[in-house]
Amino acid sequence: MPERIFVAVAWPYANGPLHLGHIAGCYLSADIFARYHRIKGSEVLMVSGSDTHGTPITIRADQEGITPEQVVDRYHAMFMESWDKMGISFDLFTSTQTENHEKVVHDVFTTLYDKGFIYTDNMLLAYCSQCDRYLPDRYVEGTCPHCNNTRARGDQCDACGRTLDPQDLVEPHCSICGTTPEFRESEHFFLKLSAFEKPLLEWVEEQDHWRNNVKNFTRQFLRDGLKDRAISRDLSWGVSLPVEGYEFKRIYVWFEAVIGYLSAAVQWAEANGGNWEDFWKDENTKSYYFIGKDNIPFHSIIWPAIIMAYDKGLNLPYDVPANEFLSLENQKFSTSQNWAVWVPDYLEKYDPDPLRYLLSINMPESGDSDFSWS
C-alpha cells in the first residue's frame, strides 16, 4: 500500500571528498530504501545537504590558507558530482549555507528561547595562548574519560560514541600547535536538554522497531542522565544568533545542522510547489533518519528534544537506522588522516554499479565490515 515517506540522510562535512565509508555508512542504504518506496508508489522526499559550518571546514581552511567559503564551494560541488555518478537519488541536496536554512534555524532558536528552553549561562571554553584564540571543540584533543581513547575530540569520542566537552578530556591539547589550553569563562546559550530526559526515555521505550544497537545505546545514554548543552560558540563562521549583543558568537553546529532536515523540506517545497507540512505534520508520514553510528545521540536524543521543545506539531523520527562502520584494509576510514578510497578517484576508473553491489552485500548493518582491494 502506498505511503508517504520522509528520508533524512546525514549531512556530510564539506571539508573533503566523499569516501566509501560514507557511502556504505548511510547514503547507499538510504538510496536503496527511497528507490524501493518510489517503485511501490509511495510519496517519497529524500533530503540532505553539505554541513558547511562544522569546525572541520575551518580546520581545512586554516591548513590551506583559504577562506571557509572556498572550502565549502569546492567540496559541495564535488558532492553533487559524486551523487550524480553514484546514482544517489536525492530529491534535494542543499547546504546549511542558504538564507532559507538560517531563517528556519532562527525560528526554532527564537521559539525555544521564548519558551525558556534556551537560556544564557557562563561556561569554560578552551583558549590557546599560542594560537591566541578560543578553540572550537574539535580543535581540542585528548584522552576520553570514559574509554581512555587517546584521540578523542572535544565534542565527541569516536571510539565509544560519547558526546563530550573539552574540559572533560584528560590531558587536553590544541590540535593545531599542541599547547595545553587554559579554560576561560564566556557567556553562552544553553539548550535545556535535562527537561526532556523523562519524555525522551518514555518515547524511546516505545520504539520496538528500532535496531537493537540504536535503542540500547539511546536508552543507556538517557539513563545516565542528560545535561544541558551549550549551543553557541565564540566563532565568526556559522549561523548568527538572532539576539542582540551577541554579534561575535555563532550557533553551534550540532544544534543548527539537525534543523537542516526541516529547512531542506521547506526549501524543496518552495522550489517545487509542494507542501513540506505533508512530510512533517501528517501523523501517517514515516520519517527515517539514515546515519552512521557515531551520529546516533544527535538523531535519537538531541533532535527529538528540539522537536519536543519546538512543539509545533512536527513528527518525531519514526526510525533511526544507523549503520555500523566500514573499514579499509582493517583500518578506520579517516578524512583527516587521508586513509580512504575516495569516491571521485574510484569513479574516474570504474563503473558505479559493481561498487554499489559490493557495498550492498557487505553493508555494515548489524556489525562493522571491511573493504579491501583484494
Side-chain angles (χ1 to χ4, degrees):
M1 184 175 178
E3 303 173 80
R4 184 180 291 118
I5 303 292
F6 183 64
V7 183
V9 199
W11 293 52
Y13 284 128
N15 71 318
L18 297 162
H19 57 62
L20 300 196
H22 294 129
I23 303 300
C26 59
Y27 300 106
L28 182 56
S29 53
D31 182 62
I32 293 169
F33 183 77
R35 286 172 179 271
Y36 164 76
H37 276 283
R38 292 183 189 121
I39 291 170
K40 278 184 63 179
S42 296
E43 187 179 356
V44 176
L45 177 58
M46 176 167 138
V47 302
S48 183
S50 295
D51 186 340
T52 65
H53 295 137
T55 49
I57 286 91
T58 57
I59 290 174
R60 172 74 74 170
D62 288 343
Q63 290 171 340
E64 297 188 19
I66 59 177
T67 65
E69 289 94 337
Q70 289 172 301
V71 173
V72 166
D73 290 345
R74 178 203 304 166
Y75 291 112
H76 181 74
M78 201 175 290
F79 290 167
M80 297 298 286
E81 185 177 3
S82 293
W83 302 139
D84 181 55
K85 290 183 177 180
M86 278 295 298
I88 306 297
S89 55
F90 286 111
D91 294 291
L92 176 68
F93 186 84
T94 181
S95 83
T96 56
Q97 199 69 356
T98 66
E99 290 183 9
N100 167 75
H101 177 69
E102 182 176 64
K103 180 181 177 181
V104 175
V105 169
H106 281 179
D107 174 60
V108 174
F109 183 99
T110 302
T111 300
L112 270 59
Y113 185 57
D114 290 344
K115 290 182 175 182
F117 292 122
I118 291 176
Y119 62 92
T120 56
D121 199 359
N122 289 334
M123 67 178 295
L124 293 174
L125 284 181
Y127 183 86
C128 179
S129 57
Q130 183 70 26
C131 297
D132 191 25
R133 64 188 293 187
Y134 281 102
L135 297 175
D137 292 352
R138 281 197 172 221
Y139 282 54
V140 185
E141 296 180 351
T143 299
C144 174
H146 302 288
C147 72
N148 296 319
N149 169 33
T150 58
R151 301 192 65 179
R153 301 186 308 268
D155 62 342
Q156 186 174 12
C157 174
D158 287 340
C160 69
R162 296 273 187 171
T163 55
L164 299 170
D165 288 314
Q167 60 265 34
D168 296 333
L169 296 173
V170 180
E171 298 181 351
H173 60 270
C174 171
S175 64
I176 301 171
C177 69
T179 300
T180 300
E182 57 183 283
F183 288 91
R184 298 182 178 181
E185 275 205 347
S186 181
E187 185 184 21
H188 281 281
F189 291 82
F190 285 74
L191 174 63
K192 199 171 184 180
L193 272 177
S194 57
F196 299 95
E197 184 178 312
K198 184 177 179 181
L200 280 170
L201 187 56
E202 291 174 350
W203 170 69
V204 168
E205 292 294 356
E206 297 172 354
Q207 309 309 311
D208 294 330
H209 54 283
W210 283 16
R211 290 179 178 175
N212 288 334
N213 66 325
V214 176
K215 185 169 183 176
N216 291 339
F217 179 92
T218 304
R219 181 194 286 129
Q220 189 57 52
F221 198 109
L222 290 167
R223 286 176 176 173
D224 288 344
L226 289 183
K227 296 189 296 183
D228 298 351
R229 286 180 63 85
I231 61 169
S232 61
R233 282 294 185 270
D234 293 290
L235 300 168
S236 58
W237 177 249
V239 175
S240 63
L241 282 154
V243 183
E244 287 188 12
Y246 296 91
E247 289 77 14
F248 297 103
K249 299 180 189 291
R250 293 294 182 270
I251 297 177
Y252 197 25
V253 65
W254 66 259
F255 178 84
E256 57 100 350
V258 291
I259 300 173
Y261 300 116
L262 175 60
S263 68
V266 173
Q267 181 181 341
W268 167 84
E270 290 178 352
N272 295 278
N275 185 354
W276 68 267
E277 292 187 348
D278 287 346
F279 290 94
W280 274 100
K281 294 188 176 183
D282 182 351
E283 61 182 15
N284 294 315
T285 297
K286 292 180 179 177
S287 55
Y288 296 80
Y289 289 75
F290 286 84
I291 58 171
K293 67 178 178 182
D294 53 335
N295 270 327
I296 291 174
F298 297 100
H299 294 77
S300 67
I301 297 171
I302 291 173
W303 179 224
I306 293 172
I307 292 174
M308 288 179 178
Y310 190 56
D311 194 25
K312 291 192 178 182
L314 302 183
N315 293 333
L316 290 167
Y318 174 74
D319 202 358
V320 186
N323 274 356
E324 303 290 311
F325 289 144
L326 177 76
S327 57
L328 171 61
E329 306 289 356
N330 294 311
Q331 292 184 49
K332 183 180 178 181
F333 276 86
S334 173
T335 298
S336 60
Q337 301 297 316
N338 199 31
W339 180 252
V341 176
W342 305 107
V343 173
D345 291 346
Y346 175 92
L347 292 172
E348 279 186 8
K349 300 179 180 179
Y350 308 108
D351 292 332
D353 284 351
L355 178 62
R356 286 179 63 109
Y357 172 73
L358 180 70
L359 295 181
S360 295
I361 64 172
N362 293 295
M363 197 170 285
E365 293 182 300
S366 57
D368 292 346
S369 60
D370 186 65
F371 176 91
S372 70
W373 284 110
S374 62

